[in-house]
Amino acid sequence: MVEFRIDRRSGVATYLQIVQQTKQALRLGLLAPGDKLPTAKEVVAATAINPNTVLKAYRELDREGLVEARPGLGTFVRRSLARPGAAAGSPLRAELADWMDRARAAGLDREDAAALVMSVLEAEFDDGSPSPAPNAVTEGTG
């Protein structure tokens, strides 16, 4: 089950943090179709946020077709966003972890590493070219 962490200083609306964290868990394969999300009551107990905020996040995820509410049962994952290269045990993740170790050894802190990763992401992914199909295997990753 996913555990939400709310950063009140981030400037990001609380319900969007829940949406983003759920999508991240879906991308990493931590949540799969059929998995149950924590109830609003459980999220409120763990994070001390308003239950309507949790419900707003879950409605947004439902609107996007990622989850579905089942009255009396809870909210369940409808579809995954996971791709093989992003899974916890994937070679790409291991390579990225190795890179992070090298970055730390070179004296970069979390913010430095994040800034460097974001600059490369922007340069490589925001060039207007289409992303590969969701289940496409690209050369060198399969």
Side-chain angles (χ1 to χ4, degrees):
M1 184 180 294
V2 66
E3 291 183 25
F4 298 112
R5 290 178 177 81
I6 305 304
D7 181 357
R8 295 176 192 335
R9 297 171 295 164
S10 73
V12 176
T14 303
Y15 88 96
L16 284 178
Q17 291 183 50
I18 293 171
V19 169
Q20 291 168 349
Q21 289 174 37
T22 302
K23 286 180 177 180
Q24 181 175 1
L26 290 167
R27 282 189 178 89
L28 295 175
L30 302 174
L31 286 173
D35 287 350
K36 183 179 178 186
L37 293 182
T39 65
K41 187 175 185 178
E42 291 168 336
V43 176
V44 168
T47 61
I49 62 174
N50 188 301
N52 290 328
T53 301
V54 180
L55 297 174
K56 181 176 182 178
Y58 285 8
R59 280 193 306 273
E60 176 65 20
L61 291 164
D62 185 32
R63 187 189 65 73
E64 293 183 27
L66 299 173
V67 303
E68 64 181 330
R70 298 180 191 161
L73 298 175
T75 302
F76 293 83
V77 173
R78 179 182 288 174
R79 68 181 177 91
S80 176
L81 296 174
R83 295 194 181 165
S90 77
L92 285 175
R93 183 178 172 98
E95 289 176 32
L96 184 56
D98 288 343
W99 181 88
M100 289 292 173
D101 289 341
R102 291 194 315 273
R104 185 178 288 178
L108 275 66
D109 64 15
R110 176 186 296 262
E111 290 79 18
D112 297 331
L116 186 54
V117 168
M118 289 307 298
S119 71
V120 173
L121 278 172
E122 290 170 7
E124 296 296 323
F125 285 90
D126 291 346
D127 62 0
S129 62
S131 298
N135 291 321
V137 176
T138 57
E139 190 174 325
T141 61

